[in-house]
Amino acid sequence: MTNRLVAPFVLLFALVGPASAVPITLQFSASGFPAGAPQALVTGTIVWEAASVTAPIGSLTSIDLTIDGHIYSLAEVGFLDVGGGVTTIGGIINGPNGWGPGTNDFFMFYRPTTSALDGFVYATANNLSNTFGTTNIQSSVTATHVPEPATLALLGLGIAGLVASRRRKR
């Protein structure tokens, strides 16, 4: 009887590997833009999946960012590893590491190894001649650890073992 209870959990544990992605949340505020910038303070939150906080970005999962009235959707944002330990996150109109006057676009320099933002640049459709950049950025990066499937399988195996031992004692 015990083998029939334990076998499914052993099989589940063998088939399920460890989780490879952790949700990473970047909250930031950028200020110190030059005079005439439509928005003096830009704040936002971007969430992605990666193997760890310091690992390269795997995929973007959500964004909460509004610049000069434009609310960015996940479909408008991408990322690009530009080398030298730098990843750019930005709008895809001009590519995640480009921008152009007269477009709703932005990009930021992110360093996964230090979880730091080094620069933020944006352009707006309402301003046909200028882009606005700053290096005055406050940011925090946090990881939300999700239990791995293998851990859950081990928990299930332990519970099955307890059930089996109680039945055996009866």
Side-chain angles (χ1 to χ4, degrees):
M1 179 86 169
T2 303
N3 288 340
R4 282 189 284 189
L5 287 174
V6 174
F9 289 101
V10 171
L11 181 61
L12 178 65
F13 179 69
L15 295 175
V16 177
S20 60
V22 174
I24 310 294
T25 302
L26 167 68
Q27 294 181 313
F28 66 92
S29 63
S31 61
F33 294 102
Q39 196 162 323
L41 175 67
V42 175
T43 61
T45 302
I46 299 175
V47 180
W48 63 83
E49 291 185 344
S52 70
V53 172
T54 58
I57 296 171
S59 63
L60 299 176
T61 58
S62 73
I63 184 166
D64 179 12
L65 177 64
T66 302
I67 301 175
D68 196 28
H70 180 79
I71 301 169
Y72 285 88
S73 70
L74 195 55
E76 296 176 284
V77 181
F79 64 94
L80 178 67
D81 180 2
V82 294
V86 176
T87 298
T88 58
I89 303 170
I92 59 173
I93 291 173
N94 296 295
N97 64 337
W99 73 99
T103 63
N104 289 318
D105 210 356
F106 78 97
F107 80 92
M108 62 182 81
F109 294 106
Y110 175 70
R111 295 186 184 277
T113 55
T114 60
S115 301
L117 286 177
D118 290 342
F120 187 93
V121 177
Y122 76 89
T124 70
N126 298 328
N127 192 313
L128 301 177
S129 58
N130 293 320
T131 59
F132 309 95
T134 187
T135 57
N136 187 14
I137 303 165
Q138 302 294 318
S139 64
S140 68
V141 176
T142 56
T144 306
H145 294 284
V146 177
E148 295 181 8
T151 303
L152 295 175
L154 277 174
L155 176 63
L157 184 61
I159 291 171
L162 289 173
V163 169
S165 77
R166 287 192 129 209
R167 284 188 179 182
R168 180 179 279 173
K169 286 180 182 179
R170 286 185 186 171

